[in-house]
Amino acid sequence: MKTLKTQVAIIGAGPSGLLLGQLLARQGISNIILERVTGDYVLGRIRAGILEQGFVDLVREAGVGDRMDKEGEVHGGFEIAVNGRSIRIDMAKLTGGDTVVCYGQTEITKDLMDARKAAELVTCYEAADVKLNDVTSDKPTVTFEHGGETCQLECDYIAGCDGFHGVSRQTIPAELRTEHETIYPFGWMGLLSETPPVSKELIYSKHERGFALASRRSATRSRNYIQVSLDDTVDDWPDDRFWEEFKRRLPTKAAESLVTGPSIEKSIAPLRSFICEPMQYGNMFLVGDAAHIVPPTGAKGLNLAASDVSTLYKVLLRVYQEGDKKCIEQYSEIALRRVWHGERFSWWMTNMLHNFGDMTSHGMDGLTFGRFMESELNYYLASEAGQRVIAEQYVGLPYEDLTT
Ligand code: RFL
Ligand code: PHB
């Protein structure tokens, strides 16, 4: 058996694992990342596009912000349309200057991978059968198969950054773990295309035919979504059908400017709210999608992953630089406070913007629930105070510091 040693073993080379690894390495804390698939496979997953200021600051602190600062678009507002009538949420004005950055998760991931390679930090791609052992001892290990060899990684701490389907969460004994889960009765179909977006800012559109989101990656690349049935597959949605349906759900002005083109990528994602409590067990910490999932309506998934990374980074810095191991106990509590905020906002936005049709929800028929939610959305959109409630949460709540 081949034996490796590091201070922090990181499971998963998604944005959580890569960002944590980069931040730690810059502070002289060694880490090795184990990833189940290849780097190209990770980069092939088209996901988030909106970064909160806290995320942007963290990427800069990791020394990886150059391309994001050059190519990312600063967005000071977005639109919410209700059956064709559109209202702009002026985030910058409503929050006293806060904005978000539109820059794809794929690009952040690529920048982090490039930086990791340049710094010659170890990432084992295609690591199979990853197992976390002795996580409550002060000498945890991770065993895995790599390149035909059985390997053992000895470490002080393990960061479980391995997404919703990862193995890390399962190391918390079932009797100590509470999992909260809601599965929504619809999904999102996304289509990426090399076409100019319909708008300079995002449009979240509530429509009687179902929700639609017009998003973007650049002046020439669009990322658009529509609410679809859970039974639908990508094959049910040839590009033409997608564009036709997307157009019908947009407010008139945006629909008129729609330019269609062939898809580069198309996928359907189910919508889920999921939270695992606690987010730590012994010397193992869950980070990002490994611990929580939000429906994408609030653009919070990647941003919650980043606030987890920030909290764990602060904990580990204090452990290694000040020898204070007591602060470890704070991780789950601090991380979960922000997670629950993000979860509630995402759930609320999802309820207000989607069409529940005749699907039962919250113990009532979907039609009644839909009317309550439409009334709630109209109420918030009608006043500056209401719009501020949406804006403040969309730009993201501040990160919490460790207590002394
Ligand atoms: P990831 O990205 O899932 O990465 C986990 C990595 O762990 C690997 N892995 C393993 N490695 C070793 N051993 C094992 N046993 C392993 N099991 C798994 C996986 O291969 C993978 O590489 O989790 P991470 O790093 O926590 O990042 C989370 C984000 O990816 C996610 O929250 C966001 O993409 C969510 N999301 C959005 N978030 C936002 O903040 N803003 C958005 O605008 C936004 N839009 C979206 C989204 C997610 C979407 N989908 C498809 C779920 C839009 C969509 C459509
Ligand atoms: C995206 O651009 O992929 C995106 C943007 C905002 C969301 C969800 C996804 O709320």
Side-chain angles (χ1 to χ4, degrees):
M1 179 155 41
K2 185 173 163 186
T3 302
L4 304 161
K5 274 196 180 77
T6 194
Q7 286 171 307
V8 182
I10 299 177
I11 320 294
S16 301
L18 289 166
L19 183 57
L20 179 67
Q22 202 60 26
L23 286 162
L24 293 176
R26 276 173 73 94
Q27 296 291 338
I29 301 169
S30 66
N31 60 84
I32 290 178
I33 300 186
L34 308 179
E35 166 59 54
R36 188 169 49 86
V37 297
T38 64
D40 283 344
Y41 189 92
V42 173
L43 288 174
R45 294 190 288 230
I46 307 295
R47 290 180 169 182
I50 294 293
L51 313 178
E52 294 173 357
Q53 191 60 45
F55 188 104
V56 169
D57 292 342
L58 209 56
V59 170
R60 288 187 189 138
E61 189 172 340
V64 191
D66 287 357
R67 198 162 69 95
M68 173 187 74
D69 285 333
K70 228 175 24 226
E71 296 176 20
E73 300 175 342
V74 175
H75 285 208
F78 63 91
E79 274 178 48
I80 297 184
V82 186
N83 292 328
R85 203 171 62 87
S86 194
I87 287 186
R88 177 168 189 264
I89 305 291
D90 190 337
M91 285 184 287
K93 190 171 134 227
L94 291 161
T95 62
D98 290 349
T99 54
V100 294
V101 170
C102 186
Y103 186 65
Q105 175 169 334
T106 315
E107 308 308 321
I108 286 280
T109 308
K110 184 173 183 309
D111 296 344
L112 285 163
M113 280 179 175
D114 289 349
R116 192 165 176 90
K117 206 167 166 195
E120 295 178 5
L121 303 171
V122 181
T123 312
C124 299
Y125 285 102
E126 298 181 272
D129 207 12
V130 169
K131 287 196 182 80
L132 286 61
N133 315 296
D134 306 320
V135 299
T136 52
S137 81
D138 57 6
K139 287 268 162 273
T141 63
V142 184
T143 46
F144 59 102
E145 302 290 322
H146 189 245
E149 257 182 312
T150 301
C151 307
Q152 170 159 291
L153 174 58
E154 298 174 359
C155 58
D156 302 332
Y157 301 102
I158 301 175
C161 305
D162 47 352
F164 183 63
H165 300 288
V167 289
S168 301
R169 191 169 66 246
Q170 314 306 331
T171 55
I172 306 180
E175 64 276 16
L176 298 179
R177 184 165 23 109
T178 306
E179 297 187 345
H180 307 267
E181 183 167 45
T182 300
I183 296 173
Y184 298 83
F186 38 72
W188 272 25
M189 159 136 197
L191 184 147
L192 184 71
S193 60
E194 202 59 36
T195 54
V198 290
S199 161
K200 285 205 162 121
E201 294 182 338
L202 270 58
I203 304 174
Y204 289 82
S205 184
K206 177 181 179 72
H207 192 274
E208 58 192 15
R209 296 182 64 86
F211 170 76
L213 168 62
S215 184
R216 50 189 283 140
R217 291 291 177 270
S218 70
T220 56
R221 186 169 276 210
S222 305
R223 178 64 166 166
N224 297 316
Y225 297 94
I226 53 171
Q227 173 186 349
V228 295
S229 155
L230 273 182
D231 302 326
D232 286 2
T233 65
V234 170
D235 292 340
D236 295 326
W237 288 94
D239 291 359
D240 286 350
R241 183 178 173 211
F242 177 92
W243 286 118
E244 198 180 307
E245 187 59 35
F246 177 64
K247 187 171 182 174
R248 290 173 85 161
R249 298 183 190 186
L250 287 181
T252 319
K253 199 168 142 250
E256 279 168 6
S257 69
L258 179 67
V259 178
T260 64
S263 58
I264 301 171
E265 191 266 2
K266 255 192 308 197
S267 48
I268 294 184
L271 265 60
R272 182 195 309 267
S273 295
F274 175 86
I275 303 112
C276 168
E277 296 181 303
M279 284 172 56
Q280 69 189 99
Y281 180 57
N283 290 315
M284 190 281 302
F285 308 90
L286 297 178
V287 180
D289 279 15
H292 42 78
I293 297 287
V294 288
T297 327
K300 286 287 166 256
L302 181 58
N303 290 304
L304 288 178
S307 56
D308 293 351
V309 168
S310 165
T311 305
L312 185 55
Y313 173 54
K314 285 175 197 162
V315 165
L316 293 174
L317 266 190
R318 198 182 276 186
V319 167
Y320 284 110
Q321 292 184 343
E322 298 172 32
D324 167 21
K325 289 196 176 177
K326 195 98 183 70
C327 70
I328 287 175
E329 292 159 21
Q330 296 180 34
Y331 173 70
S332 183
E333 197 186 321
I334 292 180
L336 278 168
R337 245 192 308 273
R338 201 169 186 283
V339 165
W340 274 106
H341 272 299
E343 289 278 354
R344 185 190 43 73
F345 177 64
S346 306
W347 167 80
W348 185 59
M349 291 283 276
T350 302
N351 285 341
M352 288 195 300
L353 288 166
H354 289 75
N355 185 345
F356 283 75
D358 55 6
M359 307 169 242
T360 312
S361 188
H362 301 77
M364 60 180 106
D365 69 89
L367 226 57
T368 311
F369 180 70
R371 295 305 285 265
F372 275 130
M373 286 297 114
E374 187 170 337
S375 168
E376 178 147 347
L377 179 59
N378 285 330
Y379 171 69
Y380 278 87
L381 292 180
S383 74
E384 191 176 304
Q387 291 180 19
R388 183 171 298 116
V389 169
I390 297 175
E392 274 175 0
Q393 299 182 85
Y394 195 86
V395 298
L397 300 178
Y399 288 5
E400 224 179 281
D401 278 328
L402 304 185
T403 53
T404 46

